[in-house]
Amino acid sequence: MQHTLEIKDLHAAVETKEGRKEILKGVNLTVHSGETHAIMGPNGSGKSTLAYTLAGHPKYEVESGQALLDGQDLLKMTADERAKAGLFLAMQYPVEVPGVSMTNFLRTAKTEVEGKAPAIRSWVKDLQGSMKKLRMDPKFAQRSVNEGFSGGEKKRAEVLQLELLKPKFAILDETDSGLDVDALRVVSEGVNRAKEDNDFGILMVTHYTRILRYIKPDIVHVFADGRFIKTGGPELADELEETGYDQYLPEGSDSESALA
Amino acid sequence: MSNATSQEVSMPVADPNDPYKAPALMPSSADKEPRSFSPDAFAVPTRKIDDWRYTPVERISEFFDVFTPSNATEISASYIDGSAVSESSGVSFRSIEKTQAPAGTVLKPSDRASAVQWASTDRTYALEITKDQSIPVLVNITGAGLALDALHLVIVAGENVHADIVLEHSGQARLAEGVELSTGKHSEVSLTSIQEWTNDSKHVGSHRLHVGEGAHLRHSVVTLSGDVVRLRMDQDFGGPEGDLNMLGIYFVDPGQHIEHRTMVVHNYPECKSRVVYKGALDGKDAHSTWVGNALIQPSAPNTDSYELNRNLVLTPGAIADSEPNLEIENGNIVGAGHASSVGRFDDEELFYLQSRGIPEIEARKLVVRGFFGELVDQIGIAEISKHLMGVIDRRLARGESDEMKHVLEEN
């Protein structure tokens, strides 16, 4: 079934010590099922803010605009309702939840998203199968959510959830950061497998083109100063790799990426 | 000792104004109150006295002078499934004279409130267990209103006995309570005391515990409600290789003061103690206090002790006092550790769970259940674990009510 995520003129701000700061300044984007969009841009451009605003993080306040999933405005929903509507955010820094086991967490999430508890036998099979394919130690299921996981283990756990929760749209926020080559391949294969199974649309937020070798984008966007400023095919990513983001920054501003 | 010798050795004299000048002569910092059945042996508590500095003493001043008890509090014993206990099954529950052993034989009162309780008490009960028990023994203590009452219970578990005992406190009460527990050699006993009073109840109590040689005691305290609840636990060992496991769970609502003080004394070699108390605090002026004292005496080589307190502040405006005190008078020990923390409910944890489709209220339950879960499992009595998780869930569900919203908005 075809689904559409339509972001229309989205403005969002965050409260800082220096006062209210607008970060998203009119974001427009349409993603369909099966499409992979790479969202690239310099540090501080607002890419992650876009990801968290769509998922409903309380820190970000929507000032105006819409994010329609099959016509329903996600921005009017609580974070859990957005997940139930079919949105999934794979976080750059997955949060540790002490005392809550992965199995309990995953089953609770699956039950909420599906509206009914999964049949126990097939659930255990799915869970074990996915964990095996992600090369996760079965013991992880008994451990507390993300607690004491290495950076790579946390990212695998995010992809595990992506496979099990079967969203309509997945936002991957710098899923490649902090991964060595082998882990990047395992994680990317997991994303590709989940997409093959469920044909969801992907918004992949990244700095680097490295992950694009494993997860092939259909469309590449440049995001700078709170909005999309250029859209192209996969060749745009290669161009960015060559020239960097400097040309997309406002006159006189420093690119953190260029400095790094 | 002659004058000449004393000059040569020149023992330092403790200066009360500067005890740090001669630390070896300091009184036991963890345990300097006398032990006495006489209220007059203790000063009337004020917040200037160390043992009372976290306690709102003005709210429990009626517990500081000998009073005439109402004798209205109901007490009864049965098995936890409701069936009757009997002497033939090795359980005797009866009323005794306060002057009659085993009452008053375990340990002496360690503060004014427990000496006053002893002096005021008309009714003393003894629970004696002489055979292994497969079903937990339940003592129900039901309050009968706000008239001040005093009650004393002494529990004796015989040598080699395996038994679980539950004290369940409920209803409306203003109760001074003394509990003594003596466990026999090589026994394995658990005592779980649950306080689930009405929100206007007050309960000031002491548990005095004696762990037999080679015995294992699991002592659990679960305080779920009450206006002021203050429980002090004193303990010692009756011989080597004793094993003491003290667990505590508390839930504090707005305006309530819930206080637990544990005093673990290692007086024999090769004993082990673990103290783990965890509490959740909800709302404005919810106040919890945990003071964990551990004293390792020179007579207790190879002691292994550890104490831990964790507090989870669910909503702003709550205060958790947490104070571990360790006093080690023996260098030859396995370990003596402590840890203490007060943490806020983490918004990022909530968002993470919500972003996976779990509604906020369910997410809160998951986190708080996780916080208490391991401890609830350790209490080891299925009926109690289930009941506790149910209570915790109800507490969290109540976060939705208008009353809680009001409290939240105030902050």
Side-chain angles (χ1 to χ4, degrees):
Chain A
M1 202 182 137
Q2 273 292 313
H3 302 283
T4 307
L5 177 64
E6 224 178 333
I7 304 167
K8 291 181 171 174
D9 197 28
L10 176 59
H11 291 254
V14 63
E15 288 296 336
T16 70
K17 270 178 252 165
E18 290 81 37
R20 199 177 170 82
K21 191 178 169 205
E22 189 178 43
I23 298 181
L24 300 183
K25 301 170 180 173
V27 178
N28 290 286
L29 179 69
T30 301
V31 185
H32 300 284
S33 293
E35 292 176 359
T36 299
H37 292 238
I39 300 175
M40 306 188 68
N43 278 326
S45 58
K47 304 184 302 291
S48 287
T49 298
L50 174 61
Y52 279 84
T53 303
L54 291 173
H57 194 287
K59 185 174 152 193
Y60 303 103
E61 292 171 30
V62 173
E63 297 187 309
S64 62
Q66 288 179 309
L68 304 173
L69 201 166
D70 294 337
Q72 286 207 301
D73 195 351
L74 294 173
L75 304 179
K76 296 204 167 85
M77 303 178 190
T78 56
D80 54 297
E81 289 166 349
R82 297 178 199 203
K84 283 179 195 134
L87 188 73
F88 181 89
L89 169 63
M91 296 189 196
Q92 186 182 358
Y93 302 108
V95 182
E96 300 187 0
V97 190
V100 179
S101 72
M102 281 298 282
T103 39
N104 187 11
F105 161 64
L106 291 169
R107 238 174 83 82
T108 306
K110 182 72 178 169
T111 304
E112 292 290 348
V113 165
E114 300 271 301
K116 63 178 192 322
I120 188 81
R121 193 176 290 174
S122 62
W123 167 251
V124 170
K125 200 170 136 247
D126 287 354
L127 177 61
Q128 286 173 347
S130 294
M131 286 183 73
K132 198 171 173 196
K133 280 184 261 177
L134 287 164
R135 287 172 223 168
M136 292 176 79
D137 188 329
K139 284 199 286 278
F140 267 68
Q142 302 311 321
R143 285 168 61 178
S144 291
V145 175
N146 293 323
E147 195 178 45
F149 290 22
S150 71
E153 288 162 347
K154 283 181 181 170
K155 296 296 169 72
R156 284 173 212 220
E158 294 291 282
V159 175
L160 175 68
Q161 295 169 46
L162 174 65
E163 286 201 65
L164 294 170
L165 298 180
K166 307 188 193 311
K168 296 181 182 124
F169 291 93
I171 306 169
L172 311 179
D173 185 22
E174 305 204 15
T175 294
D176 49 340
S177 71
L179 294 183
D180 61 32
V181 181
D182 293 327
L184 179 62
R185 200 176 52 241
V186 170
V187 163
S188 303
E189 282 168 7
V191 172
N192 289 333
R193 211 164 40 236
K195 191 184 161 203
E196 224 163 85
D197 289 348
N198 301 304
D199 198 40
F200 46 68
I202 297 178
L203 284 78
M204 186 164 44
V205 173
T206 182
H207 279 298
Y208 304 108
T209 52
R210 199 174 63 145
I211 194 172
L212 306 183
R213 277 181 241 146
Y214 299 96
I215 304 172
K216 301 280 183 206
D218 304 302
I219 299 163
V220 175
H221 306 271
V222 180
F223 196 84
D225 194 28
R227 59 173 75 88
F228 289 107
I229 54 169
K230 191 169 183 182
T231 294
E235 72 287 348
L236 179 55
D238 300 328
E239 186 195 316
L240 290 169
E241 181 84 353
E242 292 284 312
T243 60
Y245 297 116
D246 272 359
Q247 54 177 312
Y248 300 109
L249 291 171
E251 202 66 22
S253 70
D254 284 330
S255 159
E256 280 179 51
S257 321
L259 292 170
Chain B
M1 203 185 276
S2 74
N3 276 346
T5 328
S6 70
Q7 275 164 5
E8 265 176 52
V9 176
S10 172
M11 284 291 285
V13 177
D15 176 356
N17 299 315
D18 187 5
Y20 291 97
K21 260 188 184 164
L25 292 184
M26 283 171 71
S28 166
S29 58
D31 186 21
K32 61 192 165 208
E33 289 297 306
R35 296 290 188 271
S36 174
F37 287 102
S38 165
D40 294 335
F42 306 90
V44 174
T46 70
R47 299 192 78 146
K48 288 186 179 144
I49 298 174
D50 211 38
D51 278 7
W52 296 91
R53 69 191 177 107
Y54 300 115
T55 314
V57 288
E58 65 288 351
R59 282 159 69 183
I60 52 169
S61 56
E62 64 270 40
F63 291 90
F64 299 155
D65 289 299
V66 178
F67 58 88
T68 305
S70 72
N71 292 329
T73 306
E74 289 167 32
I75 180 167
S76 63
S78 67
Y79 284 112
I80 204 162
D81 61 6
S83 60
V85 293
S86 66
E87 301 217 13
S88 60
S89 63
V91 180
S92 145
F93 179 73
R94 63 189 197 282
S95 170
I96 60 170
E97 290 300 317
K98 191 164 71 180
T99 51
Q100 184 187 345
T105 63
V106 178
L107 290 169
K108 292 176 181 174
S110 60
D111 64 22
R112 175 138 181 145
S114 49
V116 165
Q117 171 267 319
W118 176 260
S120 304
T121 292
D122 285 340
R123 295 189 300 155
T124 303
Y125 295 85
L127 175 67
E128 291 184 76
I129 301 180
T130 51
K131 292 181 189 163
D132 287 1
Q133 302 296 317
S134 56
I135 305 173
V137 175
L138 172 69
V139 179
N140 254 309
I141 296 157
T142 310
L146 292 178
L148 198 52
D149 200 5
L151 196 62
H152 197 83
L153 172 66
V154 55
I155 305 167
V156 177
E159 279 190 18
N160 300 309
V161 158
H162 290 52
D164 297 307
I165 303 149
V166 178
L167 307 184
E168 201 162 69
H169 300 87
S170 60
Q172 186 190 45
R174 191 180 294 186
L175 180 66
E177 185 189 43
V179 175
E180 293 181 86
L181 168 66
S182 177
T183 71
K185 230 179 184 178
H186 303 299
S187 62
E188 285 204 26
V189 173
S190 81
L191 174 67
T192 304
S193 181
I194 302 173
Q195 289 66 238
E196 202 168 3
W197 301 111
T198 60
N199 285 333
D200 55 357
S201 292
K202 295 178 188 181
H203 178 194
V204 178
S206 72
H207 285 208
R208 306 204 283 274
L209 315 167
H210 180 76
V211 182
E213 181 181 335
H216 177 100
L217 171 64
R218 191 175 59 235
H219 179 271
S220 308
V221 172
V222 178
T223 303
L224 298 171
S225 52
D227 177 34
V228 180
V229 177
R230 186 188 197 270
L231 298 177
R232 162 146 182 166
M233 275 59 72
D234 285 273
Q235 166 275 343
D236 69 4
F237 289 102
E241 296 184 15
D243 185 349
L244 171 70
N245 191 7
M246 296 183 103
L247 308 173
I249 290 175
Y250 48 92
F251 214 110
V252 193
D253 274 344
Q256 297 182 345
H257 175 83
I258 306 289
E259 175 169 350
H260 299 100
R261 312 177 75 90
T262 54
M263 174 80 221
V264 173
V265 176
H266 280 271
N267 52 334
Y268 275 95
E270 317 271 345
C271 292
K272 182 179 169 183
S273 68
R274 292 288 180 272
V275 179
V276 178
Y277 270 63
K278 282 186 171 187
L281 293 89
D282 202 358
K284 195 170 187 292
D285 296 328
H287 185 198
S288 72
T289 297
W290 174 81
V291 177
N293 291 327
L295 172 65
I296 302 171
Q297 294 184 340
S299 56
N302 294 323
T303 288
D304 180 0
S305 91
Y306 188 80
E307 49 180 8
L308 167 97
N309 175 229
R310 298 223 180 286
N311 295 283
L312 180 61
V313 177
L314 302 178
T315 52
I319 296 168
D321 288 309
S322 179
E323 184 187 298
N325 296 312
L326 265 179
E327 187 158 20
I328 305 167
E329 299 175 343
N330 188 318
N332 178 23
I333 58 170
V334 176
H338 62 81
S340 156
S341 72
V342 181
R344 216 169 59 83
F345 209 94
D346 190 330
D347 289 342
E348 294 298 326
E349 286 178 23
L350 268 190
F351 172 68
Y352 188 76
L353 297 173
Q354 280 188 272
S355 78
R356 278 18 177 183
I358 302 170
E360 183 182 346
I361 185 70
E362 294 302 322
R364 282 178 175 271
K365 280 185 200 171
L366 267 184
V367 172
V368 178
R369 275 175 158 255
F371 178 74
F372 284 122
E374 202 188 333
L375 211 53
V376 171
D377 288 345
Q378 279 182 39
I379 288 175
I381 299 173
E383 293 90 339
I384 302 296
S385 303
K386 208 174 148 212
H387 173 68
L388 281 182
M389 280 308 192
V391 169
I392 290 166
D393 279 359
R394 279 203 303 280
R395 287 309 188 81
L396 293 161
R398 215 179 42 189
E400 300 279 85
S401 74
D402 288 346
E403 192 191 4
M404 273 316 297
K405 273 184 193 143
H406 181 66
V407 171
L408 290 171
E409 278 158 15
E410 276 181 16
N411 289 285

